[in-house]
Amino acid sequence: MAAFLLVNPRAGDARPAPEELAEAAVARGIDVHVLRESEDPAELARGASADAIGIAGGDGSLAPVAAVARDRDLPFVCVPYGTRNHFARDLGLDRDDPVGALAAFRGRERRIDVARAGDRMFLNNVSLGLYAQLVHRREEHRRRRDALARVRALAILLRERKQFALTVDGRAIETPVALVANNAYLLELLSIGERERLDEGLLHLYALTGLVRSEWRERSGERFTIGGDGPVLAAAVDGEPAELETPIEFRIEPRTLRVLVPPGR
């Protein structure tokens, strides 16, 4: 099987070094390309002559390449190489062993759900409200090389305690945080836990109505339409800052992504 792996050297606190990971992949017969700053990983994936396509990166790096694999009906490989690696965790991978994840290219296939916000595909979730603003502000601070960006952004947002006016399928709600998830999450205080399944075939919408876990409201379905009080909403798509035009049409695409996992996982 011809295997192609993209490596994002700027993904979080990537370890081992990109060159070491690339060498380990080449030793396994995998064609590797380490991304340069100006390169588009989706474009490279579209042009790759391969039977399976993967990327070593964080959560924000995965969906564009996975979308190409889905469109080409090729298996997708996730190599955890970011800071949190939520998708890799939910897929059952060892998040601390990117080299071990390379075995997926010779592993078994499973089919999982993907979701869309408009035309944009996501694997984990889309956040709106305070968390989305945190991600946008963190990115602004990061551009100024502020090492305490995330902590400072969170402190600002917690002081604001802002409520956001949204509509869900035409019904008005006010919430500091809303989350549209590809399959169900276990929720914790102002954060998300694991997903037990990636093939449930349902979106889950969570809206925080207070600052304790018991005050998350949840609903599920195959489609949601979310509107705001302006033409765009600040969002975090798989943890990456984005602006989405309203109303946002969310939908699930059950078991349309072929994913390879290492033997025994």
Side-chain angles (χ1 to χ4, degrees), residues 23-256:
E23 289 175 5
V26 169
R28 289 161 172 78
I30 301 167
D31 186 17
V32 180
H33 182 91
V34 179
L35 289 166
R36 303 179 185 91
E37 187 140 6
S38 60
E39 289 182 315
D40 180 354
E43 182 179 345
L44 291 167
R46 277 191 293 269
S49 177
D51 300 313
I53 297 173
I55 183 165
D59 287 303
S61 305
L62 303 180
V65 177
V68 173
R70 178 203 174 281
D71 292 344
R72 295 183 59 186
D73 193 28
L74 294 178
F76 172 70
V77 171
C78 165
V79 176
Y81 203 55
T83 304
R84 295 174 183 83
N85 302 305
H86 288 161
F87 178 74
R89 173 201 63 195
D90 297 342
L91 196 58
L93 303 180
D94 183 346
R95 291 185 287 177
D96 298 321
D97 187 13
V99 173
L102 297 173
F105 282 103
R106 304 293 180 187
R108 66 180 181 87
E109 181 178 313
R110 57 183 292 199
R111 284 187 173 268
I112 67 168
D113 305 337
V114 301
R116 291 192 184 273
D119 293 330
R120 181 164 178 169
M121 196 180 95
F122 62 96
L123 296 175
N124 296 338
N125 58 72
V126 174
S127 295
L128 305 168
L130 284 180
Y131 181 75
Q133 286 201 348
L134 183 155
V135 170
H136 281 255
R137 293 191 185 187
R138 183 184 64 196
E139 187 65 21
E140 291 171 6
H141 287 301
R142 184 177 290 163
R143 292 187 185 126
R144 295 196 295 267
R145 300 186 183 279
D146 185 343
L148 298 177
R150 187 171 187 272
V151 174
R152 290 181 179 177
L154 180 59
I156 292 169
L157 295 176
L158 287 178
R159 284 200 303 269
E160 290 179 358
R161 298 286 182 91
K162 184 178 179 181
Q163 296 283 324
F164 292 82
L166 302 174
T167 61
V168 179
D169 295 336
R171 181 180 177 183
I173 65 169
E174 286 194 352
T175 180
V177 177
L179 183 84
V180 179
N182 174 21
N183 288 258
Y185 278 94
L186 299 174
L187 292 181
E188 301 169 358
L189 179 61
L190 292 180
S191 66
I192 56 175
E194 298 183 23
R195 287 175 288 181
E196 294 183 351
R197 293 183 60 179
L198 296 176
D199 58 359
E200 180 191 14
L202 290 174
L203 296 171
H204 287 256
L205 170 65
Y206 304 96
L208 189 66
T209 59
L211 292 178
V212 296
R213 181 180 177 182
S214 62
E215 294 180 350
W216 283 99
R217 289 183 180 174
E218 178 182 356
R219 60 183 292 186
S220 61
E222 296 179 355
R223 291 177 177 266
F224 296 122
T225 300
I226 294 184
D229 55 5
V232 297
L233 280 173
V237 181
D238 287 343
E240 293 295 308
E243 289 190 340
L244 301 178
E245 293 185 3
T246 58
I248 310 167
E249 303 286 344
F250 289 92
R251 68 184 188 276
I252 194 83
E253 295 181 354
R255 305 193 184 198
T256 56

